[in-house]
Amino acid sequence: MKMNSTRNMRANRLAPPASLLVLVVSAILVASPRTNAPEVSRHHQVISKLLDEFPYRLGSWVGVDVVLPSAATAILRPNGYVNRRYSQIGKSNDVVLGIIHCEDIRDMDGHYPPRCYPAAGWSQTGEDDIALRIEDSQATMKLYRFQRATQMGLVESKSVVSVFVAPDVGILTSMDSLKKIGDTSLNTSALGVAQIQLVFADELPTGIIQDQANDIFSEFPENTIANFMINPLRIVYPKEATLN
């Protein structure tokens, strides 16, 4: 009995260090995810180059750079972006195309039309799904409507087409879906995410927005969206994280 008691005492003395070792190892695993893996870094470099070289001419549309507010860049810390007003040659049509890529999904939090437009004084007046073609595939995106009163007492309107594109998952239309992926692990969050917005300076009919958006998307460089969907670590997301 005395021998067993001695063994138990030794085991109890060893238990705290063993538990501490587990905690230390766990902390190392959490603090050192594969966020700096060479595959991820190369992938982000490819995306950055793709956006740097994004064409100013998209078929009959010609683009001019629009300054991205410094507050937005401070929050988003973009890996690369396009923020450009495209005007259609021979017509009065114009649209602001925004493509932004963040290296970490969590940095995109807040850059979402139902949040950022009301924060800038706009009131949301509508939200609908809109079917568009992009890279030979049909995709459902979100169409948001906003209004605000000008200093002259007039009503100003905007129509915003918005969508997220994440590795493996593809097209996402809601921030909740994106956050599910980002919350899966630091590894999945560090794969990054792209957001595409088309901003029309009026409350145009949905049919006209579809025609103009499809025309612009049809002129995107080949595999632009496919590159946003590449998972360099080949992580498989849980099914519930892929739901819109």
Side-chain angles (χ1 to χ4, degrees):
M1 293 292 293
K2 186 174 182 180
M3 185 177 294
N4 289 338
S5 176
T6 301
R7 287 177 180 173
N8 289 338
M9 288 177 63
R10 288 176 180 172
N12 289 336
R13 287 173 183 171
L14 288 172
S19 300
L20 181 60
L21 179 61
V22 171
L23 290 174
V24 170
V25 171
S26 298
I28 291 173
L29 290 175
V30 171
S32 303
R34 296 182 65 193
T35 55
N36 60 346
E39 302 93 333
V40 175
S41 297
R42 283 195 297 270
H43 173 63
H44 289 163
Q45 289 170 9
V46 168
I47 297 298
S48 178
K49 185 172 184 290
L50 181 152
L51 294 176
D52 284 345
E53 297 176 352
F54 195 85
Y56 282 83
R57 181 73 179 263
L58 296 173
S60 62
W61 299 81
V62 179
V64 177
D65 287 329
V66 177
V67 176
L68 191 67
S70 57
T73 56
I75 294 171
L76 293 166
R77 300 185 298 174
N79 173 47
Y81 68 88
V82 172
N83 199 49
R84 209 169 282 165
R85 183 181 302 279
Y86 282 87
S87 301
Q88 194 168 23
I89 298 172
K91 298 183 180 181
S92 59
N93 303 329
D94 67 72
V95 58
V96 174
L97 169 64
I99 308 174
I100 192 159
H101 182 265
C102 294
E103 294 183 358
D104 194 307
I105 286 176
R106 294 167 297 180
D107 289 334
M108 192 66 77
D109 188 27
H111 194 254
Y112 181 48
R115 293 184 186 177
C116 56
Y117 277 88
W122 294 83
S123 298
Q124 185 173 338
T125 59
E127 176 182 333
D128 294 295
D129 290 337
I130 183 170
L132 298 170
R133 291 196 64 79
I134 189 163
E135 292 191 358
D136 297 324
S137 297
Q138 195 80 4
T140 299
M141 303 186 187
K142 283 293 184 183
L143 172 59
Y144 301 98
R145 308 282 193 174
F146 299 96
Q147 287 186 345
R148 71 177 177 185
T150 67
Q151 292 182 343
M152 300 295 292
L154 302 175
V155 176
E156 185 179 7
S157 300
K158 282 188 186 294
S159 301
V160 183
V161 173
S162 178
V163 71
F164 298 107
V165 187
D168 280 345
V169 180
I171 300 294
L172 294 165
T173 57
S174 76
M175 180 61 74
D176 287 341
S177 299
L178 189 65
K179 290 186 72 173
K180 283 182 182 179
I181 297 170
D183 291 343
T184 302
S185 75
L186 292 179
N187 284 339
T188 56
S189 185
L191 293 177
V193 63
Q195 186 187 53
I196 302 172
Q197 287 190 14
L198 291 172
V199 182
F200 299 85
D202 207 345
E203 193 164 349
L204 298 174
T206 300
I208 292 178
I209 290 176
Q210 281 179 310
D211 290 343
Q212 294 184 17
N214 281 330
D215 194 20
I216 289 172
F217 286 145
S218 70
E219 300 294 342
F220 268 32
E222 187 177 5
N223 294 326
T224 297
I225 304 302
N227 274 296
F228 294 146
M229 294 170 61
I230 290 174
N231 179 355
L233 297 181
R234 297 183 181 178
I235 293 172
V236 178
Y237 296 114
K239 289 183 179 179
E240 61 269 18
T242 67
L243 299 176
N244 281 348

